Amino acid sequence: MKRTLIKNAIIVNEGKSIEGSVVIENEKIIELLTAEQEPTSPCNETIDASGCYLLPGIIDDHVHFRDPGLTHKADISTESSAAAAGGVTSIMDMPNTNPLVTTIDTLNDKFELMARKSVINYSCYFGATNTNYKFFEHLDSHKVCGIKLFMGSSTGNMLVERMKSLMKIFSDTDLLIATHCESQEIIKANIEKYKKKYSDVVDLSVRYHHLIRSIEACYQSSKLAVKLAKQTGARLHILHISTEKELSLFENKPLAEKKITAEACIPHLLFTSADYTTLGTRIKCNPAIKLKGNREALRNAVNSGLIDVIATDHAPHLLSEKEGGALKATSGMPMVQFSLVSMLQLVNEGVFTIEKIVEKMCHAPADIYSINHRGYIRPGYQADLVLVRPNNKWELTKDSILSKCQWSPLEGRTFDWKVDKTFVNGHLVYSEGRVDENYRGQQLRFR
Ligand SMILES: [Zn+2]
């Protein structure tokens, strides 16, 4: 039996940061000790974590690993390795791959692929179309994290726009419905408007992206989703909220009492439209990054409780696919490897507390999706843990990037925190720059 003691860490968990130790036995945490307590069982390995912070592993409820079918951009092996290096121990993958995950067969194939290739724990959404709600009753709610619904088009063209279909989707499932909300009509009208205005250009500057995919486009679509959820009693989770205006649709009551929850993504918490000048289409994503006031409102909403979860919307493309402007360049950016250090940097800037980061990136996703035995540092829970080191300044350069696309919008930035070690089910998957590519994560189970 393998028993590992991680001692002298500052353990950030359930709203507190306390110096202490953790004992891992095989896959599980068996003891959580304060600094004064000694482990009750002898350990055959000791990791001295003095000066480090021990957090539950990050659970990212929103990634696009592009596998199967779009594997020139990314694949499950490369991206799960990048995730592990970033302290992420579980991901939920989106269905806009090729083939789309919109039938039971493609879903089963996807799970098989993830089991074969992922070095971290995983689940996957079932993609809704205008007509496939008949499959919902065959989905195993212990294995599928939710239904992904595009109420606005993005990579993969899975737009569901028929009102009758939307009504059916919202009424026909007890599974969580995760929505991408942007009104297609408003976007279309804006494209026409700007094309007419600048009829001599072949593409529009990326600086128009947030005017085309406007605040109103987000708000009207999110408002419709909330309305449908309230009418039907559906469990709604609106992904990547990007505007201050949408925040009025949510309530800051305790998470356990919510049937409608909201996610903010790292790009919208880090960047503003001013960054298009320096980063160009690298930060082009859907929904668009908007004027600065929205970023400040989102940050406040994370603190107030209007926003429940922080995720990445990790959506890699090749740099060559990012050529062009608002119309031609692809939307999405890689983020999963640097999400935790980016948020810890905001802790240093006084935007969030470290306890808040753990709440929004570990506890809340575990609670919202009812994930079995993960997301907290508790005896009996799976030992998904990340050890991070503060005051360890480093610069993000190309050679540190594990994502297949080999670029990051954060290149050149410096970070004070470094991910030191990542444990997945008690196994040391990432340590001091190396990923154990032979390890395979587990499929997430939901209560
Ligand atoms: Zn996405």
Side-chain angles (χ1 to χ4, degrees), residues 202-262:
V202 282
D203 199 349
L204 291 161
S205 159
V206 69
R207 282 178 286 116
Y208 288 94
H209 186 52
H210 72 107
L211 303 174
I212 292 168
R213 290 188 171 255
S214 61
I215 289 172
E216 206 51 28
C218 296
Y219 177 71
Q220 289 303 335
S221 181
S222 289
K223 192 172 129 187
L224 173 62
V226 167
K227 188 177 139 199
L228 290 170
K230 284 186 175 164
Q231 267 173 21
T232 56
R235 175 69 188 86
L236 171 67
H237 184 49
I238 304 190
L239 303 168
H240 43 44
I241 296 297
S242 64
T243 70
E244 179 174 19
K245 194 169 180 183
E246 288 167 286
L247 294 169
S248 65
L249 299 167
F250 306 108
E251 296 172 275
N252 55 0
K253 57 188 183 188
L255 188 53
E257 294 170 21
K258 290 188 185 185
K259 281 208 90 174
I260 298 171
T261 49

Side-chain angles (χ1 to χ4, degrees), residues 62 64 148 240 313:
H62 189 168
H64 301 260
K148 172 66 184 285
H240 43 44
D313 195 5

Side-chain angles (χ1 to χ4, degrees), residues 62-64 94 96 148 150 154 180 239-240 263 265 286 313-315:
H62 189 168
V63 303
H64 301 260
M94 289 297 171
N96 53 336
K148 172 66 184 285
F150 284 87
S154 197
H180 178 135
L239 303 168
H240 43 44
E263 173 201 88
C265 286
N286 300 337
D313 195 5
H314 175 79

Side-chain angles (χ1 to χ4, degrees), residues 90-138:
S90 298
I91 53 97
M92 302 179 211
D93 196 43
M94 289 297 171
N96 53 336
T97 45
N98 187 13
L100 300 169
V101 180
T102 52
T103 64
I104 303 298
D105 282 347
T106 49
L107 177 71
N108 289 336
D109 289 349
K110 176 67 163 266
F111 279 137
E112 221 171 84
L113 198 62
M114 297 189 104
R116 242 186 12 247
K117 294 173 84 169
S118 183
V119 303
I120 60 171
N121 309 314
Y122 56 87
S123 189
C124 149
Y125 291 87
F126 186 77
T129 67
N130 275 306
T131 53
N132 73 348
Y133 38 80
K134 58 182 180 288
F135 296 135
F136 289 179
E137 59 177 318
H138 304 297

